[in-house]
Amino acid sequence: MNKSRIEIAKRDIVKCFESQPTHLFKRSHIEVILRENRDTWRLTQAITVNRFLDFLQEKTKLKAVKISFPARTEIRYLWGEDVSNYQIALSLRPESYLTHYTAMFIHGLTEQIPKTIYLNFEQPLKARPETNLEQKNIDWAFKQKPRTTQNIASYEDYRYCLLNGMHTGRLGVIDTKDNFGEKISVTGMERTLIDIAVRPFYAGGVFEVLKAYRASAGKVSVNKLGAMLKKLNYVYPYHQVIGFYLERSGAYKDTAINLLAKPGIDYNFYLTYQMKDADYSPKWRLFFPKGL
């Protein structure tokens, strides 16, 4: 039986994919590879992108991955097994970065192995309306359930949780490498400590957050953390939360902890939402779960 032209070109096609700088592809990337190599491989126009993809999945180690979010399904193509879940996650949105529980794990701030990958995709810069804090409004807000994303998809044993974060210009985001040596973007240590204090429900809860603060001792600059928190310019007084965590961890000096009190302690505040049984820290004017 005569081989088809694409089967004759298989060795060169495989060599091309093996030599790509990434082994994670979108359909558009594969379209470009086909277009740029069609003449070299002597493939006719009858070999459409769909037929090319069918051939690759049947005859080579390319496989399709479907990641179905509530509003849309994303498809990625993996060449071989040396593609991490972090790379897949970061391919879902441009300029996104790993955050919260995922960042905790990457920085060695938790002994857990989270099966949810948290990905932050920043919203466009927009004017924020002037907000005057009132104690009654703070009290009401923290009696409610927190707003959490429903933009979640599953793939194999993992979940991908896409967070539409406020615009920060990627403040405190760094590049590191995954277990395959590929570059990944993740919040740095200081930004991670801020994020998990603000949204503990994306970090395994307040007890896990406290463990992360203990594990961070000697690895972070509280001066840098305070400066970053000021730039983030939250409406709520999260400096009280972070100061409490630093103190409660028992791992930081008073001189560092007291930096977080400098913006002022003007309101009663809450470590998390819907606490049923709470203790109170007079120093930080903060309600926190009993037993923490």
Side-chain angles (χ1 to χ4, degrees), residues 7-26:
E7 288 172 324
I8 294 170
K10 178 183 172 182
R11 180 181 293 180
D12 292 332
I13 292 170
V14 168
K15 188 176 179 180
C16 176
F17 275 87
E18 292 283 2
S19 67
Q20 294 297 313
T22 179
H23 286 170
L24 171 65
F25 304 95
K26 296 181 183 179

Side-chain angles (χ1 to χ4, degrees), residues 111-273:
E111 295 176 349
Q112 304 299 315
I113 304 175
K115 289 295 187 178
T116 298
I117 294 176
Y118 291 94
L119 184 74
N120 195 3
F121 176 63
E122 294 191 359
Q123 300 174 46
L125 182 62
K126 52 189 175 185
R128 190 167 70 182
E130 289 292 325
T131 304
N132 292 319
L133 275 184
E134 293 185 23
Q135 188 64 60
K136 64 179 182 180
N137 293 336
I138 296 173
D139 296 339
W140 180 87
F142 280 83
K143 287 177 182 176
Q144 314 307 311
K145 285 185 178 180
R147 288 185 297 174
T148 56
T149 184
Q150 300 303 308
N151 210 4
I152 299 171
S154 296
Y155 169 62
E156 293 185 341
D157 295 333
Y158 284 84
R159 297 196 317 158
Y160 298 90
C161 185
L162 185 59
L163 310 177
N164 289 324
M166 69 177 185
H167 182 86
T168 72
R170 293 168 61 89
L171 180 67
V173 176
I174 64 170
D175 288 332
T176 186
K177 291 186 177 181
D178 66 9
N179 52 316
F180 295 111
E182 295 293 325
K183 186 179 81 169
I184 53 174
S185 295
V186 61
T187 52
M189 196 87 72
E190 287 83 6
R191 173 69 188 273
T192 298
L193 291 179
I194 293 171
D195 287 347
I196 64 177
V198 173
R199 297 286 184 267
F201 38 86
Y202 293 143
V206 295
F207 288 86
E208 273 295 296
V209 173
L210 180 57
K211 289 179 185 176
Y213 271 73
R214 287 191 182 118
S216 72
K219 301 176 182 177
V220 302
S221 162
V222 175
N223 276 317
K224 184 178 177 181
L225 188 155
M228 194 175 292
L229 182 62
K230 185 176 181 180
K231 285 184 180 178
L232 289 168
N233 193 27
Y234 286 109
V235 173
Y236 285 137
Y238 285 111
H239 61 282
Q240 294 170 223
V241 170
I242 294 170
F244 172 82
Y245 275 125
L246 291 173
E247 182 178 74
R248 202 71 171 182
S249 74
Y252 286 84
K253 294 179 179 178
D254 288 345
T255 50
I257 295 167
N258 292 335
L259 290 173
L260 273 298
K262 282 190 173 181
I265 311 294
D266 301 322
Y267 300 93
N268 285 332
F269 199 49
Y270 299 80
L271 199 66
T272 190
Y273 292 79

Side-chain angles (χ1 to χ4, degrees), residues 59-98:
K59 303 293 186 178
T60 75
K61 58 184 180 181
L62 190 82
K63 70 173 182 178
V65 169
K66 287 188 177 181
I67 303 168
S68 297
F69 289 97
R72 63 187 288 182
T73 296
E74 299 279 356
I75 300 177
R76 296 293 180 268
Y77 298 92
L78 312 184
W79 184 266
E81 302 296 328
D82 59 343
V83 177
S84 70
N85 276 282
Y86 297 150
Q87 292 177 59
I88 297 172
L90 290 166
S91 78
L92 297 173
R93 293 292 186 276
E95 296 300 309
S96 58
Y97 49 89
L98 303 169

